Amino acid sequence: MVESIPSEFDYDTDRAQEWCWRWCRERGIDRRRFLKLAAVVGVGAAVEACDRNGRQRTSGPSTAPAPATTASSAAASANPGAWVKPVPEHDFVLHTTNAEMRWAGMGGHGYTTPNSRFFVRNHLKTARVDRATWRLQVSGSGVEAPLELSYDDLLKLRAETTVRRFLECSGNGRVFFDEIGRQKADGTQWRLGAIGVAEWTGVPLGAVLERARTKRSARDVMPVGLDELMVRRPMPVAKAMADDTLLVYAMNGEDLPPDHGAPVRALVPGWIGVASVKWVGRIEVSEEPLISDWNTTSYVLLGPGYAAEGPAKGPVLTTQVVKSALELPWPATFPAGSRTLRGRSWSGAGRISKVEYRIDDGPWQAARLEPPNEPLAWVRWSTEWDAPPGSHTVRVRATDSAGNTQPDTVPFNQQGYLYGGIVAHPVTVT
Ligand SMILES: Nc1nc2c(c(=O)[nH]1)N[C@H]1C(S)=C(S)[C@@H](COP(=O)(O)O)O[C@H]1N2
Ligand SMILES: [Mo]
């Protein structure tokens, strides 16, 4: 299936609108009324209105998922039914079909992000896939023995592996292209909450590829989602064969939740989130490089200074960059006095070797790292601050084991990927 993706933003907007319309139609709203509502109040609010209206019209319980609407204006553009788990405003900022984790909620939490707080990035909406009838097909020119596995077959491989790794959207931090660089990028305006670390349990993708007798001549491996869009992104065989590249069925010791790809998702550590395809139904293994809009137009760097690379319109994204976040609301307000500032830093290139912070225009100082500090996960850090009253900024910069440090600024790219620059967290001390 080849689909044209003009830009991630147009693409998401179109699909979201289309889906909202369909959702309303199922509730007995005619198109004229939907468009009229959407024109006046915006699509999100039109859907909410349809929902109220639909509930009045339909007798008996609806089979559609409950709308996750809240009263906030930020949530007004959110799509009801895009998620299965509750996404309360207290824990999440909602953007159409995506739910961003609020960093303040990680304050004082353990190393991993609880499933209930983990961000959700859905190109469309959470797919419901029945584990009992689920099958995984492995096929393509790169395998000698194409196969089909059930959920039990996967467990019977007896290769269960557990790793702690981050999962982060390549668009995490996108809002800073606008707020710092003064040039707004296309796509979901995430702040820094499109990241989480979980303990993932599954089987190495390599074990499945071996079972399918992957050829030496195989080049690319591409998991394909069972959602309507069939979200997919290829990786080279070497990445697919890495010990920690998994087909995951459990997250933080629980069955993988629907919003995170149940029954089985890919986990491609250190790579942009889209590589970790949810609701995997097929794995294509190819002797030829796999080329589609997902790695030529979407998830590539577009804009001034970025040149086409072969069939791709710009440099193709693979690993995530170094970033840091404070476990505080944005902006934060607290009373004057001594307190502990806490945060986390991570990198797609390894573990974190150093974290520094700076209050206002003061000197850069070392923060205290707290173990564990695992590669391709994150490290927690803290420092004491005797906060005087007034308006302040707290800046943080981390350095990873490969020697990458967060830069002061990041050059613009049209789709707003990989904003790893230093950000000034606004704090009002009262
Ligand atoms: N099938 C499918 N897989 C997908 C997506 C999707 O929409 N459909 N979104 C991708 C993107 S862009 C990201 S950042 C991660 C988010 O994973 P999460 O929702 O479990 O946090 O899933 C990836 N896998
Ligand atoms: Mo993403």
Side-chain angles (χ1 to χ4, degrees):
M1 174 173 141
V2 178
E3 198 171 339
S4 182
I5 314 174
S7 81
E8 197 194 357
F9 177 72
D10 294 349
Y11 168 79
D12 281 3
T13 309
D14 285 0
R15 301 305 298 214
Q17 290 195 358
E18 190 185 311
W19 182 74
C20 284
W21 153 237
R22 215 184 309 151
W23 197 87
C24 288
R25 189 178 50 199
E26 280 161 17
R27 273 149 195 79
I29 309 295
D30 69 39
R31 186 161 183 85
R32 235 188 30 226
R33 181 163 158 67
F34 174 74
L35 289 175
K36 216 161 126 189
L37 269 170
V40 177
V41 294
V43 169
V47 167
E48 285 183 39
C50 292
D51 178 43
R52 285 194 298 273
N53 202 329
R55 276 194 231 179
Q56 281 157 14
R57 280 164 191 238
T58 37
S59 50
S62 160
T63 51
T69 51
T70 76
S72 87
S73 59
S77 63
N79 282 358
W83 312 275
V84 170
K85 71 180 177 186
V87 286
E89 223 209 313
H90 173 265
D91 294 331
F92 294 98
V93 180
L94 305 181
H95 314 266
T96 59
T97 57
N98 308 307
E100 174 169 6
M101 178 196 77
R102 289 191 192 272
W103 266 100
M106 287 306 289
H109 266 285
Y111 191 65
T112 53
T113 314
N115 293 356
S116 60
R117 285 181 193 275
F118 207 96
F119 84 100
V120 183
R121 191 320 187 213
N122 282 340
H123 278 85
L124 194 50
K125 64 168 177 159
T126 291
R128 304 308 300 264
V129 180
D130 179 11
R131 181 205 279 190
T133 54
W134 175 84
R135 295 290 181 273
L136 176 67
Q137 289 172 8
V138 184
S139 58
S141 60
V143 294
E144 271 165 24
L147 50 82
E148 194 177 276
L149 298 174
S150 67
Y151 190 85
D152 286 346
D153 294 336
L154 205 61
L155 300 189
K156 279 192 232 137
L157 291 175
R158 301 204 159 276
E160 189 166 281
T161 303
T162 296
V163 294
R164 289 200 283 196
R165 293 290 184 269
F166 75 69
L167 180 70
E168 184 185 22
C169 186
S170 49
N172 196 25
R174 185 179 279 132
V175 75
F176 299 114
F177 284 105
D178 186 16
E179 291 185 2
I180 296 174
R182 300 273 162 229
Q183 198 173 1
K184 190 171 179 178
D186 301 336
T188 302
Q189 298 296 303
W190 304 106
R191 195 164 289 284
L192 283 168
I195 168 98
V197 167
E199 183 178 275
W200 309 96
T201 301
V203 297
L205 175 53
V208 171
L209 295 179
E210 272 167 33
R211 173 65 78 93
R213 299 222 303 275
T214 293
K215 299 176 189 171
R216 279 170 175 276
S217 54
R219 300 258 320 248
D220 276 355
V221 175
M222 183 169 70
V224 182
L226 289 168
D227 44 346
E228 260 180 85
L229 288 177
M230 300 169 68
V231 168
R232 57 205 177 279
R233 187 98 186 336
M235 68 191 112
V237 169
K239 185 66 179 169
M241 291 291 189
D243 293 345
D244 59 353
T245 296
L246 304 183
L247 289 170
V248 162
Y249 43 76
M251 181 176 179
N252 292 323
E254 293 168 19
D255 282 347
L256 187 65
D259 295 310
H260 299 292
V264 176
R265 80 175 301 162
L267 175 74
V268 185
W271 277 43
I272 57 171
V274 71
S276 293
V277 169
K278 304 195 271 190
W279 317 293
V280 177
R282 193 162 73 83
I283 292 172
E284 182 174 351
V285 185
S286 171
E287 290 185 288
E288 304 297 327
L290 290 169
I291 291 159
S292 71
D293 281 341
W294 298 86
N295 60 348
T296 57
T297 305
S298 219
Y299 301 102
V300 302
L301 296 173
L302 302 180
Y306 294 113
E309 287 186 355
K313 293 178 182 155
V316 179
L317 302 181
T318 55
T319 52
Q320 290 288 115
V321 295
V322 194
K323 287 185 205 162
S324 302
L326 281 154
E327 294 169 2
L328 289 175
W330 185 295
T333 303
F334 46 73
S338 173
R339 68 164 44 228
T340 305
L341 290 177
R342 294 177 196 283
R344 302 178 193 230
S345 299
W346 62 95
S347 166
R351 74 179 83 232
I352 295 297
S353 50
K354 185 169 68 172
V355 177
E356 297 159 291
Y357 70 97
R358 177 188 195 184
I359 309 283
D360 302 325
D361 294 324
W364 285 100
Q365 290 173 277
R368 193 170 51 235
L369 307 191
E370 180 185 328
N373 181 0
E374 294 178 10
L376 311 187
W378 55 25
V379 68
R380 287 171 293 174
W381 44 260
S382 63
T383 192
E384 308 310 316
W385 182 30
D386 193 7
S391 290
H392 302 283
T393 55
V394 181
R395 289 181 173 81
V396 180
R397 71 175 180 211
T399 301
D400 69 18
S401 48
N404 305 300
T405 299
Q406 292 184 251
D408 290 331
T409 57
V410 178
F412 181 73
N413 72 87
Q414 190 59 47
Q415 299 179 100
Y417 297 127
L418 304 185
Y419 197 98
I422 298 166
V423 304
H425 199 121
V427 177
T428 302
V429 178
T430 55

